[in-house]
């Protein structure tokens, strides 16, 4: 029976909701798929022409890749049919995908990084790019294959990160997580066999170390609220920090993108950048004096409350990300000075606003309500997060034992 090789879009999306481009190999009504390692949204696929639509920003490059893979597969299929009479679709796939074993770590990682960047996950892109670069620099080999990334290699890499790069155990684990993600992709796409997988109970185990989340106390926050000897920059940094804290530790990326039009009916209505969730919160009375300080700078209802995003190219996610990163660095610089003036010996940063809310909430608020306030998708995430600040039961137990 005739064999056929066609490019296709598999209707099984990944965790980001993107669909894999593949070469479909059919022989005797049995089908196998050879993955290209590229993923697109369903709306960018032309099922009739079997090409990526022009609406995709990398349509030309992806279509050239598909054409090359299709040509390569057809050439290999003709060779096999002239030398072997009886061959299955899986055998054809194995023969065609053999060159994939030579795909390097760097090649697959570049594809992975472009994918998450294209999905607008710029924070993750920036952090994962650093982690990929760590491995490439350590290997001193741009042609490093996945077979070479074995248990012994990873143990040397972990030592390098700890001794040479001075990274914490948590940061080392984050590096391993990226490598594991890429290794799983390489296995799925036929670039390396599962027998070479270097992770597992008897190999490299990935275990996140416990981290201490430190938040400010009520007294420390009152000290910050009551400071009067602040300059203009310090006062602005305090305002942004308190805005975040008063709204349950809202992320700075969300704070800076709040517009005047998002506030109506005495409530703040906004959509989170991280997971696109829509939220409505009653505007705390404590926020009103802060908002009043920025009222004179309001050009229109669509204007941003805080000035950092006023000149941002809002249609360009990379520009918004860059300005948010610059602003956060600036805020943290002035928050350090504010902590000194308030005689607070804890490290004061924008992120600690979230920890401070959790610290004061403790076990006073039902976990389901905290899940809403934190905007967590899973209550397990909320439980694990809040466990850092819930000490009453352990404190009571200790008191019962030693107070005799």
């Amino acid at each position: 029976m005739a064999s056929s090789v066609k490019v296709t879009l598999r209707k099984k999306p990944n965790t980001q909701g993107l669909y894999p481009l593949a070469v479909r190999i059919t022989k005797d009504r049995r089908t196998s798929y050879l993955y290209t390692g590229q993923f697109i949204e369903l709306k960018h696929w032309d099922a009739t022409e079997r090409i990526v639509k022009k609406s995709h920003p990398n349509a030309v490059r992806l279509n050239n890749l598909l054409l090359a893979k299709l040509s390569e597969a057809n050439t290999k299929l003709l060779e096999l049919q002239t030398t072997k009479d009886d061959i299955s679709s899986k055998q054809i796939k194995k023969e065609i995908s053999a060159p994939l074993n030579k795909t390097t770590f760097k090649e697959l990682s570049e594809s992975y990084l472009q994918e998450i960047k294209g999905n607008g996950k710029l924070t993750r892109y920036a952090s994962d790019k650093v982690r990929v670069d760590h491995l490439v620099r350590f290997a001193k080999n741009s042609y490093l294959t996945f077979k070479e990334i074995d248990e012994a290699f990873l143990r040397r890499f972990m030592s390098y990160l700890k001794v040479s790069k001075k990274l914490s155990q948590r940061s080392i684990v984050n590096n391993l997580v990226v490598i594991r993600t890429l290794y799983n992709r390489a296995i799925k796409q036929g670039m390396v066999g599962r027998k070479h997988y270097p992770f597992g109970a008897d190999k490299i185990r990935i275990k996140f170390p416990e981290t201490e989340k430190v938040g400010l106390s009520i007294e420390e926050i009152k000290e910050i609220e009551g400071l009067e000897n602040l300059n203009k920059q310090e006062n602005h940094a305090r305002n942004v920090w308190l805005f975040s804290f008063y709204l349950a530790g809202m992320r700075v990326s969300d704070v800076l993108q709040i517009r005047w039009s998002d506030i109506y009916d005495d409530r703040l209505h906004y959509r989170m950048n991280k997971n696109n969730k829509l939220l409505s919160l009653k505007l705390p009375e404590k926020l009103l004096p802060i908002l009043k300080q920025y009222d004179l700078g309001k050009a229109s209802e669509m204007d941003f409350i805080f000035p950092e995003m006023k000149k941002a190219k809002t249609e360009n996610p990379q520009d918004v990300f860059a300005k948010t990163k610059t602003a956060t660095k600036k805020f943290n610089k002035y928050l350090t000075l504010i902590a000194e003036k308030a005689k607070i010996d804890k490290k004061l940063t924008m992120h600690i606003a979230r920890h401070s809310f959790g610290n004061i909430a403790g076990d006073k608020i039902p976990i389901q309500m905290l899940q809403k306030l934190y905007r967590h998708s899973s209550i397990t995430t909320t439980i694990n997060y809040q466990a850092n600040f819930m000490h009453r039961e352990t404190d009571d137990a200790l008191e019962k034992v030693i107070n005799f």
Side-chain angles (χ1 to χ4, degrees), residues 59-71:
V60 174
R61 183 177 64 84
L62 290 174
N63 284 325
N64 286 338
L65 172 67
L66 290 174
L67 189 63
K69 292 290 183 185
L70 184 63
S71 175

Side-chain angles (χ1 to χ4, degrees), residues 8-108:
T8 188
L9 187 74
R10 293 227 65 189
K11 298 299 177 65
K12 293 182 179 180
N14 61 10
T15 54
Q16 285 79 42
L18 300 176
Y19 295 79
L21 292 166
V23 175
R24 186 176 68 197
I25 305 162
T26 306
K27 178 72 163 53
D28 297 335
R29 296 182 181 176
R30 294 184 179 275
T31 300
S32 292
Y33 292 90
L34 182 63
Y35 292 93
T36 63
Q38 301 298 321
F39 298 78
I40 63 171
E41 293 181 61
L42 194 60
K43 67 180 180 181
H44 293 309
W45 179 246
D46 186 331
T48 304
E49 298 295 329
R50 295 184 180 276
I51 60 172
V52 178
K53 294 180 181 178
K54 292 181 180 179
S55 56
H56 192 285
N58 293 318
V60 174
R61 183 177 64 84
L62 290 174
N63 284 325
N64 286 338
L65 172 67
L66 290 174
L67 189 63
K69 292 290 183 185
L70 184 63
S71 175
E72 179 186 345
N74 275 313
T75 300
K76 194 66 178 181
L77 180 59
L78 286 172
E79 290 177 7
L80 293 172
Q81 287 177 329
T82 57
T83 56
K84 298 180 182 180
D85 294 329
D86 185 24
I87 185 169
S88 68
S89 63
K90 285 188 177 181
Q91 288 173 306
I92 295 171
K93 174 188 173 182
K94 186 177 180 181
E95 291 285 346
I96 294 172
S97 63
L100 288 175
N101 293 329
K102 297 179 181 177
T103 301
T104 67
F105 171 84
K106 189 175 181 180
E107 287 171 336
L108 183 63

Side-chain angles (χ1 to χ4, degrees), residues 197-251:
Y197 195 57
F199 300 98
D202 57 342
K203 294 183 180 180
I204 299 294
R205 294 185 64 187
I206 292 181
K207 185 178 179 181
F208 286 96
E210 291 187 8
T211 55
E212 184 182 12
K213 289 181 170 63
V214 178
L216 301 189
S217 66
I218 292 175
E219 292 71 23
E220 289 168 328
I221 290 171
K222 284 182 176 179
E223 286 293 331
I224 291 173
E225 290 176 328
L227 284 176
E228 295 181 351
N229 57 334
L230 300 181
N231 61 36
K232 184 178 179 180
Q233 293 87 350
E234 291 168 345
N235 181 63
H236 176 53
R238 175 177 64 177
N239 287 342
V240 176
W241 191 92
L242 288 173
F243 191 100
S244 169
F245 170 73
Y246 292 153
L247 292 168
M250 182 188 286
R251 293 177 177 87

Side-chain angles (χ1 to χ4, degrees), residues 99-341:
L100 288 175
N101 293 329
K102 297 179 181 177
T103 301
T104 67
F105 171 84
K106 189 175 181 180
E107 287 171 336
L108 183 63
S109 65
E110 286 174 351
S111 171
Y112 161 77
L113 290 171
Q114 288 306 311
E115 179 186 321
I116 58 177
K117 185 179 181 180
N119 289 336
K121 298 185 176 182
L122 300 179
T123 302
R124 184 176 170 188
Y125 167 79
S127 57
D128 282 2
K129 187 177 187 306
V130 171
R131 292 159 189 160
V132 165
D133 289 344
H134 279 325
L135 187 91
V136 173
R137 289 196 187 98
F138 167 73
K140 297 178 182 177
N141 178 8
S142 296
Y143 301 97
L144 180 75
T145 64
F146 282 91
K147 281 185 181 180
E148 295 175 277
I149 305 176
D150 56 14
E151 183 181 355
F153 175 92
L154 287 177
R155 293 200 182 281
R156 293 195 303 273
F157 177 57
M158 290 163 66
S159 178
Y160 161 79
L161 293 177
K162 183 177 181 179
V163 177
S164 299
K165 305 303 292 184
K166 310 294 184 188
L167 296 189
S168 67
Q169 186 59 31
R170 175 68 188 228
S171 295
I172 292 171
V173 169
N174 287 336
N175 276 264
L176 293 176
V177 168
V178 174
I179 298 169
R180 183 179 64 182
T181 298
L182 291 168
Y183 216 109
N184 284 325
R185 284 194 174 206
I187 291 172
K188 185 176 180 180
Q189 295 173 23
M191 298 174 182
V192 66
R194 181 157 289 279
K195 65 180 180 180
H196 299 291
Y197 195 57
F199 300 98
D202 57 342
K203 294 183 180 180
I204 299 294
R205 294 185 64 187
I206 292 181
K207 185 178 179 181
F208 286 96
E210 291 187 8
T211 55
E212 184 182 12
K213 289 181 170 63
V214 178
L216 301 189
S217 66
I218 292 175
E219 292 71 23
E220 289 168 328
I221 290 171
K222 284 182 176 179
E223 286 293 331
I224 291 173
E225 290 176 328
L227 284 176
E228 295 181 351
N229 57 334
L230 300 181
N231 61 36
K232 184 178 179 180
Q233 293 87 350
E234 291 168 345
N235 181 63
H236 176 53
R238 175 177 64 177
N239 287 342
V240 176
W241 191 92
L242 288 173
F243 191 100
S244 169
F245 170 73
Y246 292 153
L247 292 168
M250 182 188 286
R251 293 177 177 87
V252 65
S253 57
D254 290 323
V255 170
L256 294 181
Q257 293 191 56
I258 298 297
R259 300 174 187 266
W260 290 102
S261 58
D262 296 326
I263 298 174
Y264 55 90
D265 296 334
D266 296 323
R267 302 184 69 83
L268 171 66
H269 307 261
Y270 83 104
R271 190 177 296 278
M272 288 179 64
N273 288 311
K274 186 173 183 180
N275 54 20
N276 213 31
K277 283 188 174 181
L278 193 62
L279 196 73
S280 173
L281 292 173
K282 183 179 183 299
L283 212 62
E285 288 287 331
K286 284 189 170 185
L287 270 182
L288 300 181
I290 291 177
L291 292 174
K292 191 174 181 180
Q293 293 181 45
Y294 297 88
D295 195 48
L296 287 175
K298 179 169 65 173
S300 70
E301 287 300 314
M302 287 303 295
D303 197 9
F304 294 105
I305 292 175
F306 298 112
E308 280 71 23
M309 287 296 154
K310 289 180 183 285
K311 294 183 179 180
K313 299 173 184 176
T314 53
E315 73 286 353
N316 184 342
Q318 292 184 53
D319 187 57
V320 172
F321 174 76
K323 283 183 170 54
T324 301
K325 189 174 180 181
T326 300
T328 304
K329 186 177 179 180
K330 176 187 70 175
F331 294 147
N332 289 340
K333 170 187 171 183
Y334 290 115
L335 287 170
T336 299
L337 299 176
I338 290 170
E340 291 176 4
K341 291 183 177 181

Side-chain angles (χ1 to χ4, degrees), residues 170 209-215 346 351-352 355 359 385 387-389 391:
R170 175 68 188 228
E210 291 187 8
T211 55
E212 184 182 12
K213 289 181 170 63
V214 178
K346 296 172 184 173
H351 193 64
I352 206 178
H355 296 339
N359 184 44
Y385 182 85
N388 294 277
F389 311 109
H391 309 299

